[in-house]
């Protein structure tokens, strides 16, 4: 399955909806979107991974790159993910300590609201 | 012993095909369903690394993947022919530690993909040489796997 990307802004949070496979072929599109959003002043990003079927280290690299960019602007990049097979790669790489990972968009929005 | 070999041009689009083929053969070989995601991810990582190495050094050369059903194991070997400065021999497998975010290097340069493979396959060997790298990994295959006629 190819990669589908969409985004919307709710309050000060930009929610990026990702669907499909994030790998060496499709990850550049996600990278471009994240760079574009940051360049347009969106520094608080929430990436919804609930419809992601596959994620590899290229995809992780793109998310880490996005996190570095938003942090340079005192921003945040957090994730919504409950799928065990996707969470496993975050655990293997130790990135569960780097990203805020939430069970739902609502939960992430609440946490973001508290942190503001 | 049943062997499937696949060579593909060093294009990112073909990595997905290699993943699909490897997962299909793993299922047929009798690898447990719960391990198939690990096979898919590990094979994808190995092929992605090989494709990136070829694109940098020898874009015209194909990447080779061999899938074997041998003595109760499902074994995958991904071979690239990208020249490198590596000394010939089995390399020390990288592990991932919790580095500060700023210290994180480019995923491919840092061996991130290989570290992911090490975390996924219970048997991994990385053989590096100046003429390329070979990554061999295997998983247990149940007896119910389909044997050749």
């Amino acid at each position: 399955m190819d990669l589908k990307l969409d985004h919307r802004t709710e309050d000060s949070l930009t929610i990026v909806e990702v669907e499909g496979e994030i790998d060496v072929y499709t990850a550049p599109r996600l990278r471009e979107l994240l760079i574009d959003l940051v360049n347009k002043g969106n520094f608080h990003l929430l990436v919804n991974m609930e419809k992601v079927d596959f994620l590899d280290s290229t995809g992780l690299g793109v998310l880490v790159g996005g996190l570095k960019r938003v942090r340079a602007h005192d921003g945040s990049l957090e994730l919504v993910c409950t799928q065990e097979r996707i969470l496993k790669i975050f655990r293997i790489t130790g990135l569960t300590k780097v990203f805020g990972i939430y069970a739902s968009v609502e939960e992430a929005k609440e946490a973001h609201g508290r942190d503001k | 012993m049943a062997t499937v070999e696949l060579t593909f041009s060093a294009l990112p689009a073909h990595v997905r095909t290699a993943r699909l083929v490897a997962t299909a053969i793993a299922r047929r070989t009798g690898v447990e369903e719960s391990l198939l995601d690990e096979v898919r991810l590990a094979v994808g990582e190995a092929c992605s690394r090989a494709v990136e190495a070829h694109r940098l050094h020898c874009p015209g050369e194909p990447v080779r993947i061999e899938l074997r059903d041998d003595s109760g194991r499902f074994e995958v070997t991904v071979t690239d022919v990208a020249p490198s400065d590596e000394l010939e021999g089995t390399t020390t497998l990288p592990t991932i530690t919790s580095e500060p975010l700023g210290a994180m290097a480019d995923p491919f340069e840092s061996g991130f993909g290989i570290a992911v493979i090490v975390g996924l396959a219970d048997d991994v060997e990385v053989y590096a040489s100046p003429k390329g790298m070979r990554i061999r990994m295997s998983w247990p295959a149940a007896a119910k796997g389909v044997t050749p006629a």
Side-chain angles (χ1 to χ4, degrees), chain B residues 62-73:
Chain B
V63 171
R64 184 155 157 244
I65 174 168
E66 295 162 63
L67 307 126
R68 285 194 195 86
D69 162 17
D70 195 6
S71 56
R73 305 283 300 178

Side-chain angles (χ1 to χ4, degrees), chain B residues 32-55:
Chain B
E32 264 184 45
E33 284 290 319
S34 61
L35 293 176
L36 292 179
D37 276 334
E38 298 184 7
V39 172
R40 184 164 73 134
L41 183 51
V43 170
E45 293 290 351
C47 291
S48 297
R49 199 212 62 79
V51 165
E52 290 297 317
H54 275 217
R55 289 174 82 197

Side-chain angles (χ1 to χ4, degrees), chain B residues 58-131:
Chain B
C58 51
E61 294 290 333
V63 171
R64 184 155 157 244
I65 174 168
E66 295 162 63
L67 307 126
R68 285 194 195 86
D69 162 17
D70 195 6
S71 56
R73 305 283 300 178
F74 171 64
E75 186 179 286
V76 182
T77 306
V78 177
T79 308
D80 72 66
V81 293
S84 76
D85 298 330
E86 296 274 2
L87 295 173
E88 191 146 344
T90 307
T91 64
T92 307
L93 298 174
T95 54
I96 289 179
T97 53
S98 298
E99 292 181 49
L101 185 61
M104 284 187 174
D106 176 84
F108 285 107
E109 286 177 7
S110 63
F112 208 56
I114 293 176
V116 170
I117 295 168
V118 173
L120 290 169
D122 59 8
D123 168 43
V124 184
E125 183 188 87
V126 179
Y127 189 85
S129 81
K131 294 177 182 171

Side-chain angles (χ1 to χ4, degrees), chain A residues 39-76:
Chain A
N39 286 345
K40 288 177 177 163
N42 303 283
F43 303 138
H44 291 283
L45 307 179
L46 176 65
V47 181
N48 186 357
M49 317 265 296
E50 285 299 79
K51 292 182 180 171
V52 171
D53 304 316
F54 181 83
L55 174 75
D56 70 4
S57 63
T58 323
L60 288 179
V62 168
L63 293 172
V64 169
L67 183 57
K68 282 183 178 177
R69 283 174 189 275
V70 292
R71 284 201 178 164
H73 298 277
D74 292 324
S76 61

Side-chain angles (χ1 to χ4, degrees), chain A:
Chain A
M1 184 180 188
D2 203 0
L3 185 68
K4 284 187 192 168
L5 298 170
D6 201 1
H7 66 91
R8 64 184 186 278
T9 299
E10 294 182 11
D11 300 323
S12 62
L13 193 62
T14 300
I15 301 167
V16 179
E17 297 284 351
V18 188
E19 184 176 348
E21 299 188 341
I22 310 174
D23 70 357
V24 67
Y25 179 55
T26 60
R29 285 177 47 212
L30 178 60
R31 181 187 291 118
E32 282 168 21
L33 175 60
L34 296 180
I35 290 172
D36 189 48
L37 288 171
V38 173
N39 286 345
K40 288 177 177 163
N42 303 283
F43 303 138
H44 291 283
L45 307 179
L46 176 65
V47 181
N48 186 357
M49 317 265 296
E50 285 299 79
K51 292 182 180 171
V52 171
D53 304 316
F54 181 83
L55 174 75
D56 70 4
S57 63
T58 323
L60 288 179
V62 168
L63 293 172
V64 169
L67 183 57
K68 282 183 178 177
R69 283 174 189 275
V70 292
R71 284 201 178 164
H73 298 277
D74 292 324
S76 61
L77 189 155
E78 293 174 321
L79 309 171
V80 173
C81 183
T82 59
Q83 296 188 76
E84 184 51 36
R85 63 180 173 182
I86 304 293
L87 289 170
K88 185 170 187 172
I89 188 170
F90 283 97
R91 278 200 293 271
I92 288 172
T93 53
L95 290 176
T96 45
K97 295 170 191 160
V98 173
F99 289 103
I101 301 178
Y102 296 94
S104 68
V105 170
E106 290 310 311
E107 189 182 294
K109 281 168 67 178
E110 277 177 31
H112 181 69
R114 282 197 300 273
D115 292 343
K116 269 201 292 188

